[in-house]
Amino acid sequence: AQSVTQPDIHITVSEGASLELRCNYSYGATPYLFWYVQSPGQGLQLLLKYFSGDTLVQGIKGFEAEFKRSQSSFNLRKPSVHWSDAAEYFCAVGAGSGGSNYKLTFGKGTLLTVNP
Amino acid sequence: DGGITQSPKYLFRKEGQNVTLSCEQNLNHDAMYWYRQDPGQGLRLIYYSQIVNDFQKGDIAEGYSVSREKKESFPLTVTSAQKNPTAFYLCASSGSGFNEKLFFGSGTQLSVL
């Protein structure tokens, strides 16, 4: 069965600093990978996704993520964090080719705090 | 604007009571989902529906029921059999293709009185 691990429960960074949120997955074949963001008391919004091709994926709001098969990782990065980036971030893995959304597995999330 | 509307935003349940959470979408999506979110636990799938008049159990369906009589609507009932219903409930929808983007509602916080 597929699984997702987000090792960091809570991360605090200063505004303007760089950010990296870690995500490790377990899946037997090539996974479909997603990062979602959730503001307090709100639903989730897709930041970016990886299906195939270029392993560096660009998303919305200046985020990017890199798929590293050898490390089973899909870490999310941003060069300069803004106060509005404070939220909870979820990594998710879907079944490979032909995967349906109901087979999506979410990590437990990383809460990001941004200090002024 | 297209989107998913969940209501109410906050809901309180008394012992032995069934409560129904509403989810409506105007995105013309075939598939709809209900997730439960507990602090520090991520999202867990309760039920999903890929087409009208059909739905399937997810990972934690016990104590919940759903219906899908219209494409736009996918209400979730939390029954008295659900002994720990306090959680944040999220409804989502997507197209019917593989690994499509999920669109989420803004959630309902259910608490027990």
PDB file of all heavy atoms in Angstrom, chain A residues 32 36 38 41-44 46 51 90 95-96 98-99 101-102 104 106-108, chain B residues 9 33 35 37 40 42 45 48 50 88 90 94 98-102 104-106:
ATOM      1  N   TYR A  32       2.117   9.304  -8.616  1.00  0.00           N
ATOM      2  CA  TYR A  32       1.647  10.639  -8.943  1.00  0.00           C
ATOM      3  C   TYR A  32       1.691  11.428  -7.633  1.00  0.00           C
ATOM      4  O   TYR A  32       1.147  10.981  -6.630  1.00  0.00           O
ATOM      5  CB  TYR A  32       0.231  10.600  -9.497  1.00  0.00           C
ATOM      6  CG  TYR A  32       0.143  10.131 -10.933  1.00  0.00           C
ATOM      7  CD1 TYR A  32       0.947   9.099 -11.401  1.00  0.00           C
ATOM      8  CD2 TYR A  32      -0.752  10.698 -11.827  1.00  0.00           C
ATOM      9  CE1 TYR A  32       0.872   8.673 -12.715  1.00  0.00           C
ATOM     10  CE2 TYR A  32      -0.843  10.272 -13.148  1.00  0.00           C
ATOM     11  CZ  TYR A  32      -0.024   9.249 -13.584  1.00  0.00           C
ATOM     12  OH  TYR A  32      -0.100   8.820 -14.873  1.00  0.00           O
ATOM     13  N   TYR A  36      -0.642  20.127  -1.547  1.00  0.00           N
ATOM     14  CA  TYR A  36      -1.794  20.976  -1.317  1.00  0.00           C
ATOM     15  C   TYR A  36      -1.490  21.892  -0.136  1.00  0.00           C
ATOM     16  O   TYR A  36      -0.734  21.530   0.777  1.00  0.00           O
ATOM     17  CB  TYR A  36      -3.034  20.136  -0.978  1.00  0.00           C
ATOM     18  CG  TYR A  36      -3.712  19.468  -2.148  1.00  0.00           C
ATOM     19  CD1 TYR A  36      -3.281  18.231  -2.624  1.00  0.00           C
ATOM     20  CD2 TYR A  36      -4.789  20.071  -2.776  1.00  0.00           C
ATOM     21  CE1 TYR A  36      -3.912  17.621  -3.703  1.00  0.00           C
ATOM     22  CE2 TYR A  36      -5.433  19.457  -3.848  1.00  0.00           C
ATOM     23  CZ  TYR A  36      -4.985  18.243  -4.297  1.00  0.00           C
ATOM     24  OH  TYR A  36      -5.623  17.638  -5.363  1.00  0.00           O
ATOM     25  N   GLN A  38      -3.397  24.419   2.925  1.00  0.00           N
ATOM     26  CA  GLN A  38      -4.650  24.685   3.626  1.00  0.00           C
ATOM     27  C   GLN A  38      -4.472  25.858   4.589  1.00  0.00           C
ATOM     28  O   GLN A  38      -3.670  25.788   5.519  1.00  0.00           O
ATOM     29  CB  GLN A  38      -5.107  23.451   4.411  1.00  0.00           C
ATOM     30  CG  GLN A  38      -6.438  23.624   5.116  1.00  0.00           C
ATOM     31  CD  GLN A  38      -6.863  22.397   5.904  1.00  0.00           C
ATOM     32  OE1 GLN A  38      -6.014  21.659   6.423  1.00  0.00           O
ATOM     33  NE2 GLN A  38      -8.152  22.137   5.987  1.00  0.00           N
ATOM     34  N   GLY A  41      -9.042  26.824   8.881  1.00  0.00           N
ATOM     35  CA  GLY A  41     -10.483  26.758   8.728  1.00  0.00           C
ATOM     36  C   GLY A  41     -10.973  26.740   7.297  1.00  0.00           C
ATOM     37  O   GLY A  41     -12.157  26.986   7.045  1.00  0.00           O
ATOM     38  N   GLN A  42     -10.092  26.415   6.369  1.00  0.00           N
ATOM     39  CA  GLN A  42     -10.461  26.411   4.958  1.00  0.00           C
ATOM     40  C   GLN A  42     -10.202  25.044   4.327  1.00  0.00           C
ATOM     41  O   GLN A  42      -9.635  24.147   4.948  1.00  0.00           O
ATOM     42  CB  GLN A  42      -9.651  27.472   4.202  1.00  0.00           C
ATOM     43  CG  GLN A  42      -9.924  28.897   4.661  1.00  0.00           C
ATOM     44  CD  GLN A  42     -11.373  29.311   4.421  1.00  0.00           C
ATOM     45  OE1 GLN A  42     -11.945  29.046   3.359  1.00  0.00           O
ATOM     46  NE2 GLN A  42     -11.984  29.938   5.409  1.00  0.00           N
ATOM     47  N   GLY A  43     -10.615  24.919   3.081  1.00  0.00           N
ATOM     48  CA  GLY A  43     -10.322  23.710   2.340  1.00  0.00           C
ATOM     49  C   GLY A  43      -8.899  23.727   1.811  1.00  0.00           C
ATOM     50  O   GLY A  43      -8.118  24.627   2.102  1.00  0.00           O
ATOM     51  N   LEU A  44      -8.552  22.723   1.034  1.00  0.00           N
ATOM     52  CA  LEU A  44      -7.203  22.612   0.485  1.00  0.00           C
ATOM     53  C   LEU A  44      -7.163  23.144  -0.942  1.00  0.00           C
ATOM     54  O   LEU A  44      -8.142  23.050  -1.684  1.00  0.00           O
ATOM     55  CB  LEU A  44      -6.755  21.139   0.473  1.00  0.00           C
ATOM     56  CG  LEU A  44      -6.231  20.554   1.777  1.00  0.00           C
ATOM     57  CD1 LEU A  44      -7.326  20.400   2.810  1.00  0.00           C
ATOM     58  CD2 LEU A  44      -5.556  19.212   1.507  1.00  0.00           C
ATOM     59  N   LEU A  46      -4.635  23.075  -4.475  1.00  0.00           N
ATOM     60  CA  LEU A  46      -3.497  22.423  -5.113  1.00  0.00           C
ATOM     61  C   LEU A  46      -2.405  23.438  -5.418  1.00  0.00           C
ATOM     62  O   LEU A  46      -2.654  24.471  -6.046  1.00  0.00           O
ATOM     63  CB  LEU A  46      -3.944  21.738  -6.402  1.00  0.00           C
ATOM     64  CG  LEU A  46      -2.853  21.010  -7.171  1.00  0.00           C
ATOM     65  CD1 LEU A  46      -2.402  19.767  -6.401  1.00  0.00           C
ATOM     66  CD2 LEU A  46      -3.338  20.622  -8.561  1.00  0.00           C
ATOM     67  N   PHE A  51       3.496  14.174 -12.504  1.00  0.00           N
ATOM     68  CA  PHE A  51       3.051  12.917 -13.089  1.00  0.00           C
ATOM     69  C   PHE A  51       4.208  12.216 -13.791  1.00  0.00           C
ATOM     70  O   PHE A  51       4.413  11.029 -13.640  1.00  0.00           O
ATOM     71  CB  PHE A  51       1.934  13.166 -14.099  1.00  0.00           C
ATOM     72  CG  PHE A  51       0.604  13.474 -13.472  1.00  0.00           C
ATOM     73  CD1 PHE A  51      -0.487  13.792 -14.253  1.00  0.00           C
ATOM     74  CD2 PHE A  51       0.422  13.467 -12.108  1.00  0.00           C
ATOM     75  CE1 PHE A  51      -1.716  14.079 -13.683  1.00  0.00           C
ATOM     76  CE2 PHE A  51      -0.801  13.764 -11.521  1.00  0.00           C
ATOM     77  CZ  PHE A  51      -1.876  14.063 -12.327  1.00  0.00           C
ATOM     78  N   PHE A  90       0.196  19.868   2.779  1.00  0.00           N
ATOM     79  CA  PHE A  90      -0.002  18.426   2.709  1.00  0.00           C
ATOM     80  C   PHE A  90       0.591  17.866   1.427  1.00  0.00           C
ATOM     81  O   PHE A  90       0.301  18.363   0.339  1.00  0.00           O
ATOM     82  CB  PHE A  90      -1.491  18.082   2.742  1.00  0.00           C
ATOM     83  CG  PHE A  90      -2.157  18.394   4.054  1.00  0.00           C
ATOM     84  CD1 PHE A  90      -2.754  19.618   4.267  1.00  0.00           C
ATOM     85  CD2 PHE A  90      -2.174  17.447   5.072  1.00  0.00           C
ATOM     86  CE1 PHE A  90      -3.364  19.912   5.483  1.00  0.00           C
ATOM     87  CE2 PHE A  90      -2.782  17.731   6.288  1.00  0.00           C
ATOM     88  CZ  PHE A  90      -3.370  18.972   6.487  1.00  0.00           C
ATOM     89  N   ALA A  95      -2.000   6.619  -6.882  1.00  0.00           N
ATOM     90  CA  ALA A  95      -1.562   5.431  -7.589  1.00  0.00           C
ATOM     91  C   ALA A  95      -1.054   5.847  -8.962  1.00  0.00           C
ATOM     92  O   ALA A  95      -1.428   6.896  -9.475  1.00  0.00           O
ATOM     93  CB  ALA A  95      -2.725   4.454  -7.723  1.00  0.00           C
ATOM     94  N   GLY A  96      -0.230   5.065  -9.543  1.00  0.00           N
ATOM     95  CA  GLY A  96       0.418   5.425 -10.802  1.00  0.00           C
ATOM     96  C   GLY A  96      -0.540   5.490 -11.961  1.00  0.00           C
ATOM     97  O   GLY A  96      -1.694   5.838 -11.809  1.00  0.00           O
ATOM     98  N   GLY A  98      -3.241   5.402 -14.415  1.00  0.00           N
ATOM     99  CA  GLY A  98      -4.605   4.913 -14.243  1.00  0.00           C
ATOM    100  C   GLY A  98      -5.151   5.092 -12.850  1.00  0.00           C
ATOM    101  O   GLY A  98      -6.240   4.608 -12.547  1.00  0.00           O
ATOM    102  N   GLY A  99      -4.434   5.784 -12.020  1.00  0.00           N
ATOM    103  CA  GLY A  99      -4.878   5.936 -10.639  1.00  0.00           C
ATOM    104  C   GLY A  99      -6.110   6.810 -10.520  1.00  0.00           C
ATOM    105  O   GLY A  99      -6.230   7.816 -11.196  1.00  0.00           O
ATOM    106  N   ASN A 101      -8.731   9.164  -8.071  1.00  0.00           N
ATOM    107  CA  ASN A 101      -8.561  10.070  -6.943  1.00  0.00           C
ATOM    108  C   ASN A 101      -8.905   9.449  -5.607  1.00  0.00           C
ATOM    109  O   ASN A 101      -8.378   9.847  -4.579  1.00  0.00           O
ATOM    110  CB  ASN A 101      -9.394  11.331  -7.152  1.00  0.00           C
ATOM    111  CG  ASN A 101      -8.734  12.286  -8.100  1.00  0.00           C
ATOM    112  OD1 ASN A 101      -7.525  12.328  -8.186  1.00  0.00           O
ATOM    113  ND2 ASN A 101      -9.520  13.036  -8.823  1.00  0.00           N
ATOM    114  N   TYR A 102      -9.765   8.442  -5.610  1.00  0.00           N
ATOM    115  CA  TYR A 102     -10.125   7.877  -4.318  1.00  0.00           C
ATOM    116  C   TYR A 102      -8.992   7.050  -3.734  1.00  0.00           C
ATOM    117  O   TYR A 102      -9.058   6.613  -2.600  1.00  0.00           O
ATOM    118  CB  TYR A 102     -11.402   7.046  -4.412  1.00  0.00           C
ATOM    119  CG  TYR A 102     -11.349   5.874  -5.362  1.00  0.00           C
ATOM    120  CD1 TYR A 102     -10.812   4.664  -4.968  1.00  0.00           C
ATOM    121  CD2 TYR A 102     -11.847   5.972  -6.651  1.00  0.00           C
ATOM    122  CE1 TYR A 102     -10.765   3.589  -5.828  1.00  0.00           C
ATOM    123  CE2 TYR A 102     -11.799   4.896  -7.524  1.00  0.00           C
ATOM    124  CZ  TYR A 102     -11.262   3.703  -7.101  1.00  0.00           C
ATOM    125  OH  TYR A 102     -11.228   2.641  -7.953  1.00  0.00           O
ATOM    126  N   LEU A 104      -6.006   8.369  -3.438  1.00  0.00           N
ATOM    127  CA  LEU A 104      -5.034   9.369  -3.011  1.00  0.00           C
ATOM    128  C   LEU A 104      -4.774   9.212  -1.521  1.00  0.00           C
ATOM    129  O   LEU A 104      -5.711   9.087  -0.731  1.00  0.00           O
ATOM    130  CB  LEU A 104      -5.598  10.757  -3.304  1.00  0.00           C
ATOM    131  CG  LEU A 104      -4.645  11.934  -3.423  1.00  0.00           C
ATOM    132  CD1 LEU A 104      -3.679  11.720  -4.568  1.00  0.00           C
ATOM    133  CD2 LEU A 104      -5.435  13.208  -3.636  1.00  0.00           C
ATOM    134  N   PHE A 106      -2.919  11.018   1.739  1.00  0.00           N
ATOM    135  CA  PHE A 106      -2.360  12.272   2.214  1.00  0.00           C
ATOM    136  C   PHE A 106      -1.397  12.035   3.368  1.00  0.00           C
ATOM    137  O   PHE A 106      -1.598  11.132   4.191  1.00  0.00           O
ATOM    138  CB  PHE A 106      -3.473  13.201   2.708  1.00  0.00           C
ATOM    139  CG  PHE A 106      -4.289  13.818   1.622  1.00  0.00           C
ATOM    140  CD1 PHE A 106      -5.387  13.157   1.086  1.00  0.00           C
ATOM    141  CD2 PHE A 106      -3.968  15.074   1.121  1.00  0.00           C
ATOM    142  CE1 PHE A 106      -6.149  13.728   0.076  1.00  0.00           C
ATOM    143  CE2 PHE A 106      -4.726  15.651   0.114  1.00  0.00           C
ATOM    144  CZ  PHE A 106      -5.809  14.979  -0.416  1.00  0.00           C
ATOM    145  N   GLY A 107      -0.357  12.885   3.431  1.00  0.00           N
ATOM    146  CA  GLY A 107       0.481  12.918   4.618  1.00  0.00           C
ATOM    147  C   GLY A 107      -0.246  13.642   5.739  1.00  0.00           C
ATOM    148  O   GLY A 107      -1.346  14.161   5.550  1.00  0.00           O
ATOM    149  N   LYS A 108       0.382  13.681   6.918  1.00  0.00           N
ATOM    150  CA  LYS A 108      -0.272  14.291   8.073  1.00  0.00           C
ATOM    151  C   LYS A 108      -0.090  15.799   8.138  1.00  0.00           C
ATOM    152  O   LYS A 108      -0.649  16.442   9.021  1.00  0.00           O
ATOM    153  CB  LYS A 108       0.230  13.637   9.353  1.00  0.00           C
ATOM    154  CG  LYS A 108      -0.166  12.174   9.440  1.00  0.00           C
ATOM    155  CD  LYS A 108       0.214  11.553  10.772  1.00  0.00           C
ATOM    156  CE  LYS A 108      -0.276  10.115  10.850  1.00  0.00           C
ATOM    157  NZ  LYS A 108       0.032   9.482  12.149  1.00  0.00           N
TER     158      LYS A 108
ATOM    159  N   LYS B   9     -21.088  26.050   8.356  1.00  0.00           N
ATOM    160  CA  LYS B   9     -19.669  26.162   8.677  1.00  0.00           C
ATOM    161  C   LYS B   9     -19.372  25.467  10.013  1.00  0.00           C
ATOM    162  O   LYS B   9     -18.337  24.831  10.178  1.00  0.00           O
ATOM    163  CB  LYS B   9     -19.277  27.641   8.770  1.00  0.00           C
ATOM    164  CG  LYS B   9     -17.792  27.887   9.055  1.00  0.00           C
ATOM    165  CD  LYS B   9     -16.923  27.458   7.891  1.00  0.00           C
ATOM    166  CE  LYS B   9     -15.464  27.825   8.135  1.00  0.00           C
ATOM    167  NZ  LYS B   9     -14.586  27.311   7.054  1.00  0.00           N
ATOM    168  N   TYR B  33     -16.277  13.637  -3.101  1.00  0.00           N
ATOM    169  CA  TYR B  33     -15.613  12.918  -2.003  1.00  0.00           C
ATOM    170  C   TYR B  33     -15.933  13.585  -0.673  1.00  0.00           C
ATOM    171  O   TYR B  33     -16.119  14.798  -0.621  1.00  0.00           O
ATOM    172  CB  TYR B  33     -14.082  12.950  -2.191  1.00  0.00           C
ATOM    173  CG  TYR B  33     -13.618  12.655  -3.590  1.00  0.00           C
ATOM    174  CD1 TYR B  33     -13.623  13.645  -4.565  1.00  0.00           C
ATOM    175  CD2 TYR B  33     -13.164  11.385  -3.941  1.00  0.00           C
ATOM    176  CE1 TYR B  33     -13.199  13.385  -5.849  1.00  0.00           C
ATOM    177  CE2 TYR B  33     -12.745  11.124  -5.224  1.00  0.00           C
ATOM    178  CZ  TYR B  33     -12.757  12.128  -6.177  1.00  0.00           C
ATOM    179  OH  TYR B  33     -12.335  11.860  -7.450  1.00  0.00           O
ATOM    180  N   TYR B  35     -14.032  13.836   3.108  1.00  0.00           N
ATOM    181  CA  TYR B  35     -12.871  13.547   3.929  1.00  0.00           C
ATOM    182  C   TYR B  35     -13.120  14.000   5.362  1.00  0.00           C
ATOM    183  O   TYR B  35     -13.812  14.980   5.607  1.00  0.00           O
ATOM    184  CB  TYR B  35     -11.629  14.281   3.418  1.00  0.00           C
ATOM    185  CG  TYR B  35     -11.063  13.750   2.134  1.00  0.00           C
ATOM    186  CD1 TYR B  35     -11.466  14.263   0.903  1.00  0.00           C
ATOM    187  CD2 TYR B  35     -10.106  12.741   2.151  1.00  0.00           C
ATOM    188  CE1 TYR B  35     -10.925  13.783  -0.283  1.00  0.00           C
ATOM    189  CE2 TYR B  35      -9.556  12.256   0.975  1.00  0.00           C
ATOM    190  CZ  TYR B  35      -9.970  12.790  -0.238  1.00  0.00           C
ATOM    191  OH  TYR B  35      -9.437  12.303  -1.399  1.00  0.00           O
ATOM    192  N   GLN B  37     -10.950  15.280   8.728  1.00  0.00           N
ATOM    193  CA  GLN B  37      -9.645  15.783   9.114  1.00  0.00           C
ATOM    194  C   GLN B  37      -9.598  15.968  10.624  1.00  0.00           C
ATOM    195  O   GLN B  37     -10.411  16.711  11.182  1.00  0.00           O
ATOM    196  CB  GLN B  37      -9.335  17.109   8.407  1.00  0.00           C
ATOM    197  CG  GLN B  37      -7.942  17.626   8.670  1.00  0.00           C
ATOM    198  CD  GLN B  37      -7.630  18.880   7.896  1.00  0.00           C
ATOM    199  OE1 GLN B  37      -8.529  19.619   7.490  1.00  0.00           O
ATOM    200  NE2 GLN B  37      -6.349  19.156   7.676  1.00  0.00           N
ATOM    201  N   GLY B  40      -3.450  16.916  13.230  1.00  0.00           N
ATOM    202  CA  GLY B  40      -2.252  16.101  13.145  1.00  0.00           C
ATOM    203  C   GLY B  40      -2.435  14.770  12.456  1.00  0.00           C
ATOM    204  O   GLY B  40      -1.533  13.931  12.458  1.00  0.00           O
ATOM    205  N   GLY B  42      -3.929  14.430   9.109  1.00  0.00           N
ATOM    206  CA  GLY B  42      -4.125  14.487   7.669  1.00  0.00           C
ATOM    207  C   GLY B  42      -5.581  14.239   7.305  1.00  0.00           C
ATOM    208  O   GLY B  42      -6.479  14.367   8.143  1.00  0.00           O
ATOM    209  N   LEU B  45     -10.374   9.397   3.873  1.00  0.00           N
ATOM    210  CA  LEU B  45     -11.518   9.323   2.976  1.00  0.00           C
ATOM    211  C   LEU B  45     -12.674   8.566   3.632  1.00  0.00           C
ATOM    212  O   LEU B  45     -12.503   7.425   4.079  1.00  0.00           O
ATOM    213  CB  LEU B  45     -11.113   8.640   1.672  1.00  0.00           C
ATOM    214  CG  LEU B  45     -12.171   8.561   0.585  1.00  0.00           C
ATOM    215  CD1 LEU B  45     -12.571   9.946   0.110  1.00  0.00           C
ATOM    216  CD2 LEU B  45     -11.652   7.723  -0.588  1.00  0.00           C
ATOM    217  N   TYR B  48     -16.894   8.150  -1.343  1.00  0.00           N
ATOM    218  CA  TYR B  48     -16.728   8.837  -2.600  1.00  0.00           C
ATOM    219  C   TYR B  48     -17.783   8.357  -3.586  1.00  0.00           C
ATOM    220  O   TYR B  48     -18.351   7.263  -3.447  1.00  0.00           O
ATOM    221  CB  TYR B  48     -15.318   8.638  -3.166  1.00  0.00           C
ATOM    222  CG  TYR B  48     -14.960   7.214  -3.521  1.00  0.00           C
ATOM    223  CD1 TYR B  48     -15.117   6.723  -4.816  1.00  0.00           C
ATOM    224  CD2 TYR B  48     -14.430   6.348  -2.566  1.00  0.00           C
ATOM    225  CE1 TYR B  48     -14.786   5.426  -5.141  1.00  0.00           C
ATOM    226  CE2 TYR B  48     -14.091   5.055  -2.880  1.00  0.00           C
ATOM    227  CZ  TYR B  48     -14.256   4.594  -4.155  1.00  0.00           C
ATOM    228  OH  TYR B  48     -13.924   3.301  -4.477  1.00  0.00           O
ATOM    229  N   GLN B  50     -18.422   8.396  -7.885  1.00  0.00           N
ATOM    230  CA  GLN B  50     -17.859   8.687  -9.201  1.00  0.00           C
ATOM    231  C   GLN B  50     -18.929   9.025 -10.216  1.00  0.00           C
ATOM    232  O   GLN B  50     -18.615   9.498 -11.316  1.00  0.00           O
ATOM    233  CB  GLN B  50     -17.029   7.497  -9.674  1.00  0.00           C
ATOM    234  CG  GLN B  50     -15.775   7.273  -8.823  1.00  0.00           C
ATOM    235  CD  GLN B  50     -14.981   6.073  -9.273  1.00  0.00           C
ATOM    236  OE1 GLN B  50     -15.357   4.930  -9.057  1.00  0.00           O
ATOM    237  NE2 GLN B  50     -13.853   6.322  -9.914  1.00  0.00           N
ATOM    238  N   PHE B  88     -13.169  18.038  11.528  1.00  0.00           N
ATOM    239  CA  PHE B  88     -13.390  18.983  10.427  1.00  0.00           C
ATOM    240  C   PHE B  88     -13.669  18.137   9.195  1.00  0.00           C
ATOM    241  O   PHE B  88     -12.892  17.238   8.857  1.00  0.00           O
ATOM    242  CB  PHE B  88     -12.136  19.827  10.252  1.00  0.00           C
ATOM    243  CG  PHE B  88     -12.281  21.002   9.337  1.00  0.00           C
ATOM    244  CD1 PHE B  88     -13.255  21.970   9.569  1.00  0.00           C
ATOM    245  CD2 PHE B  88     -11.435  21.180   8.257  1.00  0.00           C
ATOM    246  CE1 PHE B  88     -13.387  23.067   8.737  1.00  0.00           C
ATOM    247  CE2 PHE B  88     -11.552  22.274   7.418  1.00  0.00           C
ATOM    248  CZ  PHE B  88     -12.528  23.223   7.661  1.00  0.00           C
ATOM    249  N   LEU B  90     -14.390  17.780   5.153  1.00  0.00           N
ATOM    250  CA  LEU B  90     -14.120  18.431   3.876  1.00  0.00           C
ATOM    251  C   LEU B  90     -14.762  17.656   2.740  1.00  0.00           C
ATOM    252  O   LEU B  90     -14.611  16.437   2.639  1.00  0.00           O
ATOM    253  CB  LEU B  90     -12.615  18.528   3.639  1.00  0.00           C
ATOM    254  CG  LEU B  90     -11.878  19.585   4.459  1.00  0.00           C
ATOM    255  CD1 LEU B  90     -10.392  19.305   4.457  1.00  0.00           C
ATOM    256  CD2 LEU B  90     -12.170  20.969   3.913  1.00  0.00           C
ATOM    257  N   SER B  94     -13.957  16.384  -8.347  1.00  0.00           N
ATOM    258  CA  SER B  94     -12.949  16.342  -9.402  1.00  0.00           C
ATOM    259  C   SER B  94     -13.585  15.862 -10.686  1.00  0.00           C
ATOM    260  O   SER B  94     -14.682  15.297 -10.697  1.00  0.00           O
ATOM    261  CB  SER B  94     -11.789  15.416  -9.015  1.00  0.00           C
ATOM    262  OG  SER B  94     -12.169  14.061  -9.110  1.00  0.00           O
ATOM    263  N   PHE B  98      -8.022  10.345 -14.658  1.00  0.00           N
ATOM    264  CA  PHE B  98      -7.108   9.777 -13.666  1.00  0.00           C
ATOM    265  C   PHE B  98      -6.317  10.872 -12.960  1.00  0.00           C
ATOM    266  O   PHE B  98      -5.835  11.797 -13.582  1.00  0.00           O
ATOM    267  CB  PHE B  98      -6.151   8.807 -14.346  1.00  0.00           C
ATOM    268  CG  PHE B  98      -6.838   7.643 -14.966  1.00  0.00           C
ATOM    269  CD1 PHE B  98      -6.621   7.319 -16.291  1.00  0.00           C
ATOM    270  CD2 PHE B  98      -7.723   6.860 -14.235  1.00  0.00           C
ATOM    271  CE1 PHE B  98      -7.263   6.237 -16.870  1.00  0.00           C
ATOM    272  CE2 PHE B  98      -8.368   5.779 -14.810  1.00  0.00           C
ATOM    273  CZ  PHE B  98      -8.138   5.469 -16.142  1.00  0.00           C
ATOM    274  N   ASN B  99      -6.182  10.698 -11.641  1.00  0.00           N
ATOM    275  CA  ASN B  99      -5.372  11.614 -10.838  1.00  0.00           C
ATOM    276  C   ASN B  99      -5.662  13.072 -11.131  1.00  0.00           C
ATOM    277  O   ASN B  99      -4.770  13.891 -11.288  1.00  0.00           O
ATOM    278  CB  ASN B  99      -3.880  11.325 -11.059  1.00  0.00           C
ATOM    279  CG  ASN B  99      -3.474  10.031 -10.412  1.00  0.00           C
ATOM    280  OD1 ASN B  99      -3.479   9.904  -9.194  1.00  0.00           O
ATOM    281  ND2 ASN B  99      -3.138   9.045 -11.213  1.00  0.00           N
ATOM    282  N   GLU B 100      -6.928  13.396 -11.213  1.00  0.00           N
ATOM    283  CA  GLU B 100      -7.309  14.785 -11.462  1.00  0.00           C
ATOM    284  C   GLU B 100      -7.212  15.620 -10.193  1.00  0.00           C
ATOM    285  O   GLU B 100      -7.306  15.121  -9.077  1.00  0.00           O
ATOM    286  CB  GLU B 100      -8.731  14.815 -12.011  1.00  0.00           C
ATOM    287  CG  GLU B 100      -8.845  14.185 -13.383  1.00  0.00           C
ATOM    288  CD  GLU B 100      -9.565  15.080 -14.363  1.00  0.00           C
ATOM    289  OE1 GLU B 100      -9.848  16.233 -14.026  1.00  0.00           O
ATOM    290  OE2 GLU B 100      -9.844  14.590 -15.468  1.00  0.00           O
ATOM    291  N   LYS B 101      -7.060  16.903 -10.396  1.00  0.00           N
ATOM    292  CA  LYS B 101      -6.985  17.852  -9.291  1.00  0.00           C
ATOM    293  C   LYS B 101      -8.274  17.812  -8.492  1.00  0.00           C
ATOM    294  O   LYS B 101      -9.376  17.767  -9.046  1.00  0.00           O
ATOM    295  CB  LYS B 101      -6.759  19.239  -9.869  1.00  0.00           C
ATOM    296  CG  LYS B 101      -6.895  20.397  -8.900  1.00  0.00           C
ATOM    297  CD  LYS B 101      -6.736  21.702  -9.659  1.00  0.00           C
ATOM    298  CE  LYS B 101      -6.986  22.891  -8.763  1.00  0.00           C
ATOM    299  NZ  LYS B 101      -6.840  24.169  -9.514  1.00  0.00           N
ATOM    300  N   LEU B 102      -8.131  17.820  -7.174  1.00  0.00           N
ATOM    301  CA  LEU B 102      -9.290  17.912  -6.293  1.00  0.00           C
ATOM    302  C   LEU B 102      -9.598  19.370  -5.989  1.00  0.00           C
ATOM    303  O   LEU B 102      -8.697  20.160  -5.718  1.00  0.00           O
ATOM    304  CB  LEU B 102      -9.009  17.186  -4.979  1.00  0.00           C
ATOM    305  CG  LEU B 102      -8.901  15.657  -5.025  1.00  0.00           C
ATOM    306  CD1 LEU B 102      -8.455  15.121  -3.680  1.00  0.00           C
ATOM    307  CD2 LEU B 102     -10.225  15.039  -5.407  1.00  0.00           C
ATOM    308  N   PHE B 104     -11.683  21.606  -3.289  1.00  0.00           N
ATOM    309  CA  PHE B 104     -12.227  21.434  -1.948  1.00  0.00           C
ATOM    310  C   PHE B 104     -13.188  22.547  -1.581  1.00  0.00           C
ATOM    311  O   PHE B 104     -13.014  23.714  -1.975  1.00  0.00           O
ATOM    312  CB  PHE B 104     -11.102  21.411  -0.914  1.00  0.00           C
ATOM    313  CG  PHE B 104     -10.335  20.130  -0.872  1.00  0.00           C
ATOM    314  CD1 PHE B 104      -9.269  19.913  -1.732  1.00  0.00           C
ATOM    315  CD2 PHE B 104     -10.678  19.136   0.027  1.00  0.00           C
ATOM    316  CE1 PHE B 104      -8.548  18.727  -1.694  1.00  0.00           C
ATOM    317  CE2 PHE B 104      -9.974  17.947   0.081  1.00  0.00           C
ATOM    318  CZ  PHE B 104      -8.906  17.744  -0.785  1.00  0.00           C
ATOM    319  N   GLY B 105     -14.181  22.186  -0.758  1.00  0.00           N
ATOM    320  CA  GLY B 105     -14.999  23.178  -0.099  1.00  0.00           C
ATOM    321  C   GLY B 105     -14.262  23.739   1.093  1.00  0.00           C
ATOM    322  O   GLY B 105     -13.134  23.324   1.405  1.00  0.00           O
ATOM    323  N   SER B 106     -14.890  24.664   1.806  1.00  0.00           N
ATOM    324  CA  SER B 106     -14.225  25.331   2.930  1.00  0.00           C
ATOM    325  C   SER B 106     -14.452  24.616   4.257  1.00  0.00           C
ATOM    326  O   SER B 106     -14.003  25.078   5.297  1.00  0.00           O
ATOM    327  CB  SER B 106     -14.671  26.783   3.023  1.00  0.00           C
ATOM    328  OG  SER B 106     -16.069  26.846   3.157  1.00  0.00           O
TER     329      SER B 106
END
